[in-house]
Structure formats: structure tokens, C-alpha cells
Amino acid sequence: MHLDVQVLRDFYYRNALGRAAQKIIRNQVLEFWPEAKGQTVAGYGFAVPLLRPYLKDARRVIGLMPGPQGVMPWPAGMPNVSVLCEEARWPLETGRVDRLVLMHGLETSETPTDVLDEAYRVLGPGGEALFVVPNRTGVWARAERTPFGYGRPYTLGQLEAQLKAHDFVPEAHLSVLYQPPSTRRFWMKTGSFWEKTGRAIPAVMAGGVMMVIASKRNPPRRKGLGQAARVLNPLDVLGPSKEPKTAYGTDWRSGL
């Protein structure tokens, strides 16, 4: 079950713990992909907090938000690049995306198979997909005060097996968010210490979030996978909007 976009927006942009989590995850995304000059970058679920560094140089940045979650305009103060979409029908041409991020989109979906099929379809030759999911063995997966406490958490083996079954080839993985999911002053002030310690001794501490980078197996083992676009005129809905509206009729520009 998807969380409401308002809940996600408030966590990542209005909550101190959410802003800290956003910074940690986004910094790691930049470690994987320092730049995306001239590339098409897309995010599915609620991945827009991780995409801002690519707005300047990427050819196109697209925020895909599933219908059950709802949509909000993003980024603030700039032409809108977010779009509401069906889980199994993304408004993108086949093979168009160079970098794809999924966060709060896979583990909360009732049809994860369809989501992975769409991710495979839109990813281009040489492209990479980054899956950001709750770690089943981490404390964040049990913290319902955060978005990572909802949906189906994964172990590394479970996620990689699911990716391989959908013709993805896992290339690298990492755990992040070793800081406890608490807003208490002690934990917030010592967050960087726990992050460094956890990454140094991952066998002792479990990170709250797993990040797995995967490429697409080409050709796929499943016949016909990713061969045809499902959406006509796929990018027409992504044109700039001077006055974007959310599903609730509110313009949320500030702080995003």
C-alpha cells in the first residue's frame, strides 16, 4: 500500500529526521552517479528528493509518482517535471532512460512484477537502475513513523533474486541509514558517527535502507520483454507547468 504523497512530502521536507535521511541517501546516490550530463534521469515512487543534483546538467529529469500515492509539483520555483502515472504504464518511451531511481515505489506496490517490468522497459542500453528499499533486518523497517516502516522490506538476497527474475543484473549494493530512526537530540547529533561506524562494520550493525544498482540483461531471457512502448505520445504530459496542481489542489512550492 502506497503512502499518501503528503505524508512523504512532510517527512522529507518538514521533518528533521527525514531531512537527515534524505541527505544520507542522496549523498550515496551521488557517489554512485556523480553526474548525469546530457542524460535522461527518472525516479519512480517518491524519488524526487534524490534527483535535485541532476536538474542542472541532465538532458531531462522526470519524477514519476504512482496514482495510489498521488502527485505533487516538483521542483519548487522551477518548471514542473513530476507526473502522475499508473504503476504498470509509465509515460516514457522504451529504452529512453539512462539513470532510474526507485524509492517508495517497489516495496509498497501491490504489483511489484509490473513495476519491475516497466523499469526494465524504460531503461536504455548501458543504463542503470538504483533500487532503494527498506532493509528487513534494520530498525527502520520497524519504525512506522518513517516511510521505510511501510510495505515489504527486503533482505539483499530477496531483492537480488527478484531483480534477476526480471532480467536485471545486480552490479553493486550498499546499506545506509545506520542512525536510529529517532528525533531525540542525542541520536540526531551523533548520526554521522553511527553512519560511519555502521558502514565500517556492517556485519555487526544493520543499515535501515538497502541500495542496489542493476543493469538490464540484454537480450532478456523472457521473450518480448521491453520490446514495445505501452504509452502513445509518452512525454507530452511532462511539459513545463507554470501553475502545477497536486491531487489536492494545493501548490506546494516552498521548501522542495
Side-chain angles (χ1 to χ4, degrees):
M1 179 178 178
H2 290 282
L3 287 172
D4 190 276
V5 70
Q6 293 187 74
V7 175
L8 294 164
R9 183 258 187 181
D10 288 346
F11 178 75
Y12 284 107
Y13 294 105
R14 298 285 181 85
N15 181 285
L17 182 63
R19 290 195 297 270
Q22 175 189 162
K23 182 179 180 181
I24 291 170
I25 299 172
R26 187 167 65 187
N27 285 347
Q28 185 55 53
V29 173
L30 288 172
E31 288 288 329
F32 287 136
W33 302 329
E35 55 87 26
K37 187 174 182 179
Q39 297 180 334
T40 295
V41 181
Y44 174 77
F46 196 77
V48 290
L50 311 181
L51 304 184
R52 179 171 283 276
Y54 303 114
L55 287 170
K56 181 179 179 181
D57 295 323
R59 177 175 58 190
R60 182 185 291 270
V61 175
I62 307 157
L64 301 164
M65 300 191 183
Q69 169 190 292
V71 67
M72 71 178 196
W74 184 89
M78 299 175 66
N80 178 53
V81 301
S82 64
V83 59
L84 192 69
C85 68
E86 296 181 33
E87 287 192 312
R89 290 180 178 268
W90 298 358
L92 293 172
E93 292 178 349
T94 298
R96 177 61 63 93
V97 176
D98 301 294
R99 297 287 183 263
L100 174 65
V101 182
L102 289 88
M103 184 169 78
H104 304 309
L106 182 61
E107 75 275 10
T108 54
S109 173
E110 295 182 1
T111 57
T113 292
D114 292 338
V115 171
L116 288 172
D117 283 349
E118 277 296 87
Y120 185 96
R121 181 184 67 80
V122 304
L123 198 64
E128 292 182 330
L130 174 60
F131 299 87
V132 182
V133 299
N135 184 353
R136 182 179 293 275
T137 60
V139 294
W140 285 72
R142 299 187 290 275
E144 294 186 358
R145 293 169 296 176
T146 83
F148 293 107
Y150 289 83
R152 300 174 303 277
Y154 286 86
T155 65
L156 178 61
Q158 289 171 340
L159 180 57
E160 289 191 338
Q162 193 167 12
L163 295 179
K164 290 176 181 177
H166 287 79
D167 282 305
F168 283 98
V169 180
E171 304 286 356
H173 63 85
L174 185 73
S175 291
V176 297
L177 287 190
Y178 290 90
Q179 173 184 340
S182 172
T183 56
R184 292 186 177 181
R185 186 176 180 181
F186 172 78
W187 298 117
M188 294 295 291
K189 290 189 69 174
T190 58
S192 59
F193 167 79
W194 296 111
E195 196 67 23
K196 293 178 181 178
T197 302
R199 296 195 192 192
I201 49 173
V204 177
M205 301 176 65
V209 170
M210 284 192 305
M211 305 175 73
V212 175
I213 283 187
S215 58
K216 60 190 294 184
R217 185 187 302 275
N218 204 357
R221 289 175 295 186
R222 290 185 292 163
K223 185 177 180 180
L225 180 62
Q227 297 301 307
R230 300 179 183 178
V231 182
L232 297 177
N233 301 321
L235 299 181
D236 291 351
V237 294
L238 299 176
S241 173
K242 294 182 179 179
E243 295 181 358
K245 300 291 184 180
T246 68
Y248 311 96
T250 304
D251 186 351
W252 288 336
R253 294 175 183 267
S254 61
L256 303 184

